[in-house]
Amino acid sequence: MDVFQVHILAADRTFYDGPCLSLTIPTSDGQQGILAHHSSMIAAVIPGTLHWQDPDGATHLAAVSMGMVKVEKNEVLVLVDSAERPEEIDEVRARREADEAREALLQKKSRQEYQVAQATLARALNRLRVKEHSINQ
């Protein structure tokens, strides 16, 4: 299989920069699979699980937040607010954040506060899914 270069950048760090056999990323149009020589594209990334396979055949996953992905000339650039490996996720903290976000959704607040609570809940639930998926493997 051919490889391509992937650059996964979170707001605070370079999460992964290296060769890749395949990449699956959550987009607003659903899960998007990318292989070498994929056609050029730009898409919105939504909170979800990003999977990639390195040239050794090892599969990796990460919880990602909102952002964008650009594919061009056999290179993929993923820009997200946050990206976390399963071992970096604090399960207790994520559960607490999810509970607090659920409570905030029940409160009668402004539209902006409601949308922030929805985004916080989506991120927390995604982090818990990634953590659980890594434990079950």
Side-chain angles (χ1 to χ4, degrees):
M1 255 179 120
D2 288 345
V3 298
F4 58 98
Q5 198 66 22
V6 172
H7 312 281
I8 303 171
L9 306 176
D12 61 343
R13 65 184 168 141
T14 299
F15 181 77
Y16 178 76
D17 194 3
C20 185
L21 288 174
S22 69
L23 174 72
T24 305
I25 189 158
T27 69
S28 55
D29 293 330
Q31 291 286 82
Q32 180 73 43
I34 299 170
L35 298 172
H37 311 293
H38 193 284
S39 60
S40 295
M41 66 168 243
I42 294 177
V45 175
I46 61 170
T49 305
L50 180 144
H51 301 263
W52 78 94
Q53 187 177 22
D54 65 30
D56 297 330
T59 301
H60 308 272
L61 63 138
V64 294
S65 62
M66 293 175 52
M68 62 153 293
V69 59
K70 174 183 155 194
V71 181
E72 185 177 52
K73 298 179 183 171
N74 216 34
E75 281 197 38
V76 178
L77 174 63
V78 179
L79 300 172
V80 291
D81 290 334
S82 67
E84 296 174 284
R85 291 176 176 83
E87 60 272 13
E88 297 171 333
I89 296 171
D90 181 344
E91 188 174 354
V92 173
R93 184 173 140 229
R95 288 192 190 286
R96 185 177 61 246
E97 287 173 354
D99 291 341
E100 289 171 0
R102 283 186 188 102
E103 182 63 32
L105 288 172
L106 294 173
Q107 304 297 320
K108 301 297 182 206
K109 297 189 176 191
S110 72
R111 182 182 305 187
Q112 182 180 4
E113 290 171 320
Y114 185 81
Q115 289 172 338
V116 167
Q118 280 183 315
T120 301
L121 179 59
R123 180 173 183 258
L125 293 175
N126 179 54
R127 293 173 75 225
L128 290 169
R129 272 193 302 274
V130 168
K131 183 74 171 180
E132 183 178 313
H133 185 269
S134 71
I135 293 170
N136 293 333
Q137 283 188 344

